[in-house]
C-alpha cells in the first residue's frame, strides 16, 4: 500500500533517523553540483520533487486527509541525495542561529572562515553556510523557510526486501545509472551475512565502499569483493563463466521471487563449501602475483564456472565438486605459473580480442582440464589464451 502525504521541510528533516544514510539499498551520498544548489530552491520556496519512503511496521492512515505521524523507523527509498542536502541545510541554519552575527562588516566568507572548525565538525559545507548568512542578512527568516515550505512524500507500507530493491532500481531507471555492481549486490544481499560468517576473518568489500575496479588493482590478502563472489557463485551454478552486466541485473530484478533467499535456489551448505574453497585459494596464493590474480573477477568466474561444468560432466553434486577442488588447491596453485599467465595476457592484441572474455575463458578451460587431470605441471597459458587447448 502507498499513501501520498504533505509535510513541512522542518518536520521532514527533524524526523529523519540518525542512520538514514546507511540503508543498504542506497549507494551513498554522491557529488552533484545541481543538488548542491538546493538551498536556492529552499530560499525561493520552489517545488522540491517528491521523496519516496518505506515505513516498516507502521499502520497507514485509513481516511483521505487524515493527519499521519510518521515514526522514526522508516527508510529513504528514493531521494537520499535531496534528504541529505536538506538535513545539512537545516543543521547549518540551526548552527547559524546559535551565533552572534551582529557585526555586518564581517563578510559571509570571513564569517564562515571564523567558524570553519565547527563547520567541519558538523560536516557543513562552507559555501552553503555563506549563502545562509547572506540570506539572513538580506531579510530571510531562516526557520520559516523550513516551516512554511511543503514537501510531498510517497510512503510505502509492507514492502519486503526484494520488493524494496526492485522498486529502487525502477525509480532510478531514469536518473544517473546506479552502478551495475551495486545493483547486483543488492539483488543478492541476503547472502552477504552467510558468506561473511563462512569466510571467518576474511573481509568482504562492497561496491559502495570500494569500486571493484579499484579493489582489483589494490587487493590485499584476505579480501574479497562482494560483487565478484556473486559472479563466481552464479557461474558455479551455471556451469560456465557468467558476466554480471546490465542485462543480467535486469533479468534478476524482475524474476518472480519473493525474497533474496530464493534467488539462486541453493542452500547454506553449498555457500559454505564455496567459501571453504575461497579460503583455501587465498591461503595458497600469497605471493604478490597470486593476491592480485585472485582479485580479478574474470579469474573467479573462470574457476567456479569450470567447477560447475565439471560437476555436470561427472554427474556429481556441486558441493562434491567444490570439495574435490579444495583438496587439489595446493596442486592447482603450483601449476598456475602466473608469470607466464601475465606474459601471454599482455601480449594479446587488444584491437582483435575482448580481453575480459578471453581471460575468463582461458581460466575456465585451464581449470576444467586441471580438474579432469590434477597435476602440478605448469599450465600452458599460451594454448588456452589462443583457443588451441
Amino acid at each position: 500500500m502507498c499513501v501520498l502525504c504533505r509535510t513541512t521541510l522542518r518536520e521532514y528533516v527533524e524526523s529523519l533517523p540518525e542512520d538514514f544514510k546507511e540503508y543498504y539499498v542506497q549507494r551513498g551520498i554522491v557529488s552533484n553540483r545541481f543538488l548542491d544548489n538546493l538551498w536556492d530552491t529552499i530560499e525561493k520556496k520552489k517545488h522540491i520533487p517528491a521523496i519516496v519512503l518505506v515505513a516498516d511496521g507502521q499502520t497507514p492512515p485509513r481516511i483521505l486527509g487524515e493527519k499521519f505521524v510518521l515514526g522514526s523507523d522508516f527508510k529513504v527509498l528514493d531521494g537520499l541525495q535531496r534528504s541529505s542536502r536538506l538535513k545539512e541545510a537545516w543543521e547549518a541554519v540551526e548552527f547559524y542561529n546559535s551565533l552572534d552575527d551582529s557585526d555586518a562588516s564581517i563578510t559571509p566568507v570571513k564569517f564562515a572562515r571564523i567558524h570553519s572548525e565547527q563547520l567541519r565538525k558538523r560536516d557543513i559545507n562552507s559555501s552553503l553556510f555563506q549563502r545562509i548568512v547572506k540570506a539572513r542578512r538580506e531579510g530571510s527568516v531562516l526557520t520559516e523557510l523550513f516551516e512554511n515550505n511543503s514537501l510531498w512524500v510517497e510512503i510505502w507500507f509492507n514492502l519486503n526486501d526484494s520488493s524494496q530493491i526492485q522498486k529502487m532500481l525502477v525509480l532510478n531507471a531514469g536518473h544517473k545509472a546506479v552502478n551495475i555492481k551495486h545493483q547486483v549486490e543488492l539483488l543478492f544481499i541476503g547472502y552477504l551475512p552467510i558468506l561473511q560468517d563462512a569466510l571467518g576473518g576474511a573481509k568482504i568489500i562492497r561496491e559502495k565502499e570500494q569500486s571493484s575496479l579499484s579493489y582489483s588493482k589494490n587487493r590485499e590478502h584476505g579480501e574479497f569483493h562482494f560483487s565478484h563472489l556473486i559472479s563466481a557463485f552464479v557461474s558455479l551454478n551455471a556451469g560456465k563463466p557468467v558476466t554480471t552486466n546490465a542485462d543480467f541485473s535486469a533479468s534478476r530484478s524482475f524474476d518472480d521471487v519473493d525474497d533474496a533467499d530464493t534467488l539462486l535456489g541453493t542452500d547454506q551448505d553449498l555457500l559454505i563449501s564455496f567459501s571453504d574453497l575461497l579460503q583455501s585459494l587465498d591461503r595458497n596464493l600469497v605471493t604478490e602475483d597470486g593476491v592480485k590474480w585472485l582479485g580479478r573477477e574474470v579469474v573467479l568466474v573462470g574457476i567456479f564456472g569450470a567447477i560447475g561444468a565439471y560437476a555436470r560432466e561427472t554427474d556429481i553434486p556441486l558441493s562434491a565438486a567444490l570439495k574435490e577442488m579444495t583438496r587439489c588447491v595446493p596442486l592447482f596453485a603450483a601449476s598456475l605459473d602466473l608469470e607466464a599467465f601475465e606474459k601471454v595476457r599482455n601480449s594479446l592484441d587488444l584491437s582483435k580480442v575482448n580481453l575480459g572474455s578471453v581471460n575468463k575463458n582461458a581460466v575456465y578451460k585451464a581449470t576444467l582440464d586441471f580438474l579432469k587431470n590434477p597435476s602440478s605441471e605448469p599450465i600452458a597459458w599460451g594454448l588456452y589464451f589462443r583457443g588451441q587447448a
Side-chain angles (χ1 to χ4, degrees), residues 177-227:
V178 176
N179 182 287
I180 295 301
K181 296 300 182 187
H182 181 62
Q183 288 188 34
V184 171
E185 289 182 354
L186 292 179
L187 294 170
F188 295 89
I189 198 69
Y191 290 138
L192 179 57
I194 301 173
L195 284 169
Q196 187 61 80
D197 286 345
L199 287 170
K203 181 180 180 182
I204 297 180
I205 298 169
R206 288 192 56 193
E207 184 71 19
K208 64 190 295 184
E209 298 165 344
Q210 182 183 21
S211 73
S212 58
L213 181 61
S214 173
Y215 159 83
S216 295
K217 293 178 179 179
N218 302 287
R219 179 185 184 258
E220 295 184 6
H221 179 68
E223 291 183 346
F224 296 98
H225 202 277
F226 187 36
S227 67

Side-chain angles (χ1 to χ4, degrees), residues 111-153:
F111 192 70
R113 191 176 301 124
I114 291 170
H115 300 286
S116 60
E117 184 176 350
Q118 289 299 316
L119 292 174
R120 280 195 297 272
K121 287 182 179 179
R122 290 170 167 79
D123 202 20
I124 296 172
N125 182 277
S126 177
S127 177
L128 168 64
F129 185 73
Q130 293 169 37
R131 293 160 85 173
I132 287 173
V133 174
K134 184 173 182 289
R136 179 65 190 96
R137 291 181 179 182
E138 291 176 350
S140 293
V141 181
L142 299 175
T143 53
E144 288 185 0
L145 293 177
F146 284 79
E147 292 169 348
N148 298 336
N149 269 1
S150 293
L151 176 71
W152 289 96
V153 291

Side-chain angles (χ1 to χ4, degrees), residues 350-380:
L350 298 183
S351 66
K352 297 181 179 179
V353 300
N354 181 310
L355 186 59
S357 179
V358 171
N359 264 260
K360 64 187 178 185
N361 285 326
V363 175
Y364 167 80
K365 292 174 183 177
T367 305
L368 186 56
D369 283 350
F370 171 84
L371 281 165
K372 294 175 181 178
N373 184 27
S375 167
S376 61
E377 287 295 313
I379 294 172

Side-chain angles (χ1 to χ4, degrees), residues 223-289:
E223 291 183 346
F224 296 98
H225 202 277
F226 187 36
S227 67
H228 291 187
L229 299 185
I230 294 165
S231 302
F233 197 63
V234 171
S235 298
L236 172 70
N237 278 265
K240 61 181 180 180
V242 174
T243 302
T244 50
N245 54 18
D247 290 338
F248 173 85
S249 176
S251 68
R252 300 306 304 190
S253 296
F254 296 102
D255 277 352
D256 185 18
V257 296
D258 294 325
D259 55 65
D261 290 336
T262 63
L263 281 170
L264 289 179
T266 188
D267 55 39
Q268 187 169 335
D269 290 340
L270 186 57
L271 281 168
I272 292 173
S273 296
F274 171 78
S275 301
D276 287 343
L277 175 53
L278 286 168
Q279 288 180 300
S280 183
L281 288 167
D282 191 47
R283 284 193 301 268
N284 283 271
L285 294 170
V286 294
T287 64
E288 183 178 348
D289 287 343

